[in-house]
């Protein structure tokens, strides 16, 4: 069994870039665009426990900010379990992480993110 602990530097660059774009869009009140970048950060970082958990933490905070109880309640178990699943390499690849999708459902990875993850 392979344990994932540290995100490679080049992948982390793209993960952090998505989080930066999330924060900028959120500050401007563009919630749809903000969520889009948060989902992309989740897909990029979901194989790594810290980044995966951080994405779910930010999704939980987003849920509170927009008063979306479905998102809040959906993020709590994801936050508690997601990092552990990443650590042992048992994640549903491509899953965007929001409460609007089943937590164990694999999803297609966008082509540009596939290129990032190949490196």
């Amino acid at each position: 069994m392979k344990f994932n602990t540290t995100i490679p530097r080049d992948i982390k660059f793209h993960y952090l870039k998505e989080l930066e774009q999330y924060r900028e869009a959120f500050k401007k009140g563009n919630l749809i665009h903000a969520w889009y970048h948060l989902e992309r950060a989740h897909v990029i970082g979901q194989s790594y426990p810290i980044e995966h958990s951080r994405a779910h933490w930010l999704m939980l905070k987003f849920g509170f900010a927009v008063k979306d109880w479905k998102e809040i309640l959906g993020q709590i178990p994801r936050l508690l379990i997601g990092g552990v699943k990443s650590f042992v390499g048992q994640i549903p690849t491509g899953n965007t992480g929001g409460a609007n999708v089943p937590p164990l459902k694999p999803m297609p990875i966008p082509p540009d993110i596939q290129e990032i993850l190949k490196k």
Side-chain angles (χ1 to χ4, degrees):
M1 178 181 298
K2 179 182 184 255
F3 295 110
N4 294 327
T5 55
T6 306
I7 188 169
R9 188 180 324 177
D10 51 339
I11 294 175
K12 187 170 187 172
F13 169 81
H14 293 284
Y15 171 81
L16 293 174
K17 184 177 174 185
E18 292 295 339
L19 291 183
E20 181 181 322
Q21 291 175 302
Y22 156 71
R23 283 189 292 275
E24 288 175 14
F26 189 82
K27 278 184 199 175
K28 293 177 183 175
N30 188 340
L31 301 180
I32 292 171
H33 199 65
W35 185 255
Y36 168 79
H37 287 292
L38 202 47
E39 288 179 320
R40 286 177 55 84
H42 178 270
V43 172
I44 293 169
Q46 70 184 12
S47 292
Y48 307 95
I50 293 170
E51 289 75 16
H52 192 182
S53 296
R54 183 175 181 193
H56 283 299
W57 172 249
L58 292 173
M59 288 177 167
L60 177 65
K61 287 177 59 176
F62 184 94
F64 275 110
V66 300
K67 297 175 179 59
D68 182 340
W69 290 103
K70 180 182 177 190
E71 195 62 48
I72 294 165
L73 294 175
Q75 286 306 321
I76 292 170
R78 287 167 172 84
L79 183 59
L80 296 173
I81 297 167
V84 174
K85 298 286 264 180
S86 295
F87 181 69
V88 297
Q90 298 294 316
I91 49 112
T93 57
N95 188 292
T96 54
N100 61 328
V101 297
L104 301 177
K105 179 182 179 182
M107 299 172 73
I109 298 174
D112 66 317
I113 294 179
Q114 286 180 24
E115 288 300 314
I116 293 167
L117 298 177
K118 281 182 187 177
K119 297 177 183 177

